Amino acid sequence: MREHDLRCTAPRLAVLSVLVEADARGEHHLTAARIHERLVERRRDVDLTTVYRTVSTLVGVGVVHALAVDENVSTYGLAAQPHHHAVCTRCGAIIEVPAEQLSAALSQASQGTGFLLSDRAGLTLHGLCPGCRATAAD
Ligand SMILES: [Zn+2]
Ligand SMILES: [Zn+2]
């Protein structure tokens, strides 16, 4: 956070620690409501408005990035590693795909379209996550 010249206010640290913990468990993105829930579980006195304001500050400095899963819901995840997202169309699970795994595809797409494609969370792929694939096969 110091790198970004941000004051380490209590809500910022609290929101970041929720995201870091979720990330360590493989939950890469959380909605603001979810972040708020987790803060309440930890008896942090942070209201939902503050959570929204805090995540947008963190997005602004590039520590966190936002991913819209549908028109009305945004989720937030750590932006430390460049990555793309795969979203499960059935359960909404979000899986991060390291950017380098798709860089060849991206540069081919760039050549084909003349479009300069961003390496930083530029792509969202849709499909079925492993859990849903397993149940879909039944
Ligand atoms: Zn992400
Ligand atoms: Zn799924």
Side-chain angles (χ1 to χ4, degrees):
M1 200 114 70
R2 299 229 161 76
E3 258 174 61
H4 296 278
D5 207 17
L6 260 195
R7 281 194 309 129
C8 296
T9 62
R12 286 173 192 167
L13 285 177
V15 166
L16 267 183
S17 74
V18 166
L19 287 174
V20 168
E21 251 177 51
D23 196 66
R25 282 202 303 260
E27 272 181 295
H28 301 298
H29 279 249
L30 297 176
T31 61
R34 246 296 146 69
I35 295 169
H36 181 242
E37 242 169 57
R38 304 248 161 116
L39 291 171
V40 170
E41 279 165 18
R42 296 173 189 194
R43 301 177 203 291
R44 298 295 186 118
D45 189 21
V46 180
D47 62 30
L48 188 55
T49 319
T50 308
V51 172
Y52 276 110
R53 204 173 343 111
T54 305
V55 288
S56 73
T57 307
L58 294 171
V59 169
V61 294
V63 178
V64 166
H65 67 186
L67 172 71
V69 279
D70 67 41
E71 282 157 47
N72 304 311
V73 186
S74 283
T75 62
Y76 301 93
L78 298 174
Q81 305 290 334
H83 60 266
H84 304 291
H85 300 100
V87 180
C88 178
T89 50
R90 187 182 282 192
C91 72
I94 297 167
I95 293 164
E96 301 199 334
V97 183
E100 65 269 16
Q101 285 181 16
L102 285 173
S103 61
L106 266 184
S107 68
Q108 274 177 16
S110 277
Q111 278 168 17
T113 59
F115 210 91
L116 180 63
L117 297 161
S118 161
D119 221 22
R120 293 198 76 83
L123 286 183
T124 304
L125 308 169
H126 293 272
L128 289 178
C129 73
C132 291
R133 274 177 68 187
T135 51
D138 290 340

